[in-house]
């Protein structure tokens, strides 16, 4: 191509080279920038426990009762029964205990809301009722409360500022009763060591409201810790049940329960 044609199209070899150089520089600069790490998603607690299925079926029928709340657990449940983590924890226990006992070869009836909700025929057809009794305490605890002066749009104001922590711990018992008499035949207690995590309310994204000592003011990080605490507690309980509940032992207990029934008139 002659110089006249180059001028007609407005393109010269020098312009092509300069454009290519600018492109390479732009690519190099953009690739040298370090991308910000993605924000970690909220922790999702999962309450599941895999158990092995026994090839043998036991001649033992268990009336499964939903987890009960006693001692400090009654207050804990009253305060936290609407909490999504606590509800998932209870539901996970209910499902996993049923699966565990069934996989160990027990015949299962229920679950029942409580022993008192069982009819006489339902109690009579069960060799035992089995349930968990939760005596645990925890939640959001205020550890240090003080008054601070803060600047507001209208001047200065005094707010209550506090340091707080979440915790949970206590005892969960596995209980087996003879259903007609209500006599306890077998009890195993599982200690749940108290775990505590501090919360810095002032570092929250809730603004000035976060500085007020409010049990509803918890960070997303504290919600993650709250979930992990309950998952750890769930796994501790299920592993203990898997270890303690033995089919042969309950077959021996069945004979003792039958002797107890024979001594009583219903």
């Amino acid at each position: 191509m002659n110089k006249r044609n180059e001028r007609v199209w407005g393109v010269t070899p020098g312009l092509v080279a300069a454009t290519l150089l600018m492109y390479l520089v732009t690519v190099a600069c953009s690739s040298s920038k370090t991308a910000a790490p993605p924000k970690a998603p909220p922790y999702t607690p999962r309450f599941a426990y895999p158990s092995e299925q026994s090839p043998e079926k036991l001649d033992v029928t268990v009336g499964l009762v939903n987890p009960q709340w006693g001692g400090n657990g009654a207050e804990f449940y009253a305060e936290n029964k609407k909490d999504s983590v606590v509800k998932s924890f209870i539901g996970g226990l209910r499902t996993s205990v049923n699966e565990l006992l069934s996989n160990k070869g027990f015949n299962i009836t229920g679950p029942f809301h409580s022993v008192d909700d069982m009819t006489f025929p339902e109690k009579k057809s069960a060799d035992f009722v089995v349930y968990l009794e939760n005596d645990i305490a925890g939640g959001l605890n205020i550890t240090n409360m003080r008054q601070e002066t803060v600047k507001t749009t209208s001047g200065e104001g005094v707010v209550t500022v506090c340091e707080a922590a979440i915790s949970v711990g206590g005892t969960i018992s596995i209980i087996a009763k003879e259903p007609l008499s209500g006599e306890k035949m077998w009890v195993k207690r599982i200690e749940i060591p108290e775990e505590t995590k501090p919360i810095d309310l002032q570092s929250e994204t809730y603004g000035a409201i976060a500085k007020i000592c409010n049990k509803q003011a918890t960070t997303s990080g504290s919600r993650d810790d709250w979930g992990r605490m309950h998952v750890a507690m769930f796994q501790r309980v299920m592993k203990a049940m898997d270890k303690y509940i033995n089919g042969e032992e309950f077959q021996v207990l069945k004979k003792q329960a039958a002797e107890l029934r024979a001594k009583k008139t219903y």
Side-chain angles (χ1 to χ4, degrees), residues 9-211:
W9 290 103
V11 178
T12 64
L15 180 60
V16 172
T19 303
L20 179 60
L21 179 61
M22 290 179 63
Y23 172 77
L24 293 175
V25 170
T26 302
V27 171
C29 290
S30 61
S31 62
S32 64
K33 294 180 180 179
T34 304
K39 187 177 180 180
Y43 173 73
T44 302
R46 302 189 184 280
F47 300 96
Y49 182 80
S51 55
E52 296 182 4
Q53 187 167 6
S54 172
E56 298 181 2
K57 200 70 176 174
L58 300 171
D59 185 24
V60 178
T61 299
V62 169
L64 189 61
V65 175
N66 289 338
Q68 304 294 296
W69 301 86
N72 293 322
E75 182 178 353
F76 176 88
Y77 180 69
E79 291 182 352
N80 298 285
K81 60 184 177 182
K82 294 183 179 180
D83 181 272
S84 60
V85 170
V86 174
K87 288 195 292 186
S88 296
F89 169 72
I90 297 169
L93 285 178
R94 186 164 48 236
T95 300
S96 297
V97 170
N98 193 331
E99 291 177 352
L100 177 65
L101 293 176
S102 180
N103 286 342
K104 283 181 175 289
F106 291 90
N107 300 300
I108 307 296
T109 62
F112 303 98
H113 182 67
S114 68
V115 178
D116 291 338
D117 285 344
M118 297 175 68
T119 64
F120 179 80
E122 288 169 339
K123 291 179 180 180
K124 192 173 182 180
S125 65
D127 299 305
F128 304 97
V129 289
V130 173
Y131 60 92
L132 296 173
E133 185 173 87
N134 302 322
D135 184 4
I136 57 177
L140 180 64
N141 305 307
I142 306 303
T143 57
N144 181 18
M145 187 181 299
R146 63 189 183 276
Q147 301 291 319
E148 280 191 6
T149 301
V150 297
K151 292 183 178 180
T152 65
T153 55
S154 58
E156 291 186 345
V158 177
V159 296
T160 303
V161 180
C162 60
E163 296 172 6
I166 52 171
S167 65
V168 70
T171 303
I172 295 181
S173 300
I174 316 168
I175 298 175
K177 284 184 177 181
E178 194 288 309
L180 290 176
S181 65
E183 294 288 340
K184 289 183 180 179
M185 304 295 297
W186 185 89
V187 178
K188 295 290 183 181
R189 290 180 174 82
I190 308 161
E191 297 297 327
I192 309 296
E194 184 179 49
E195 185 178 0
T196 302
K197 294 282 186 180
I199 301 174
D200 182 6
L201 293 179
Q202 296 190 60
S203 68
E204 293 202 39
T205 57
Y206 293 113
I209 297 177
K211 296 181 180 180

Side-chain angles (χ1 to χ4, degrees), residues 128 186 188 244-254:
F128 304 97
W186 185 89
K188 295 290 183 181
Y244 291 143
I245 294 182
N246 180 280
E248 293 181 1
E249 182 179 5
F250 270 78
Q251 286 176 319
V252 173
L253 286 174
K254 179 180 176 179

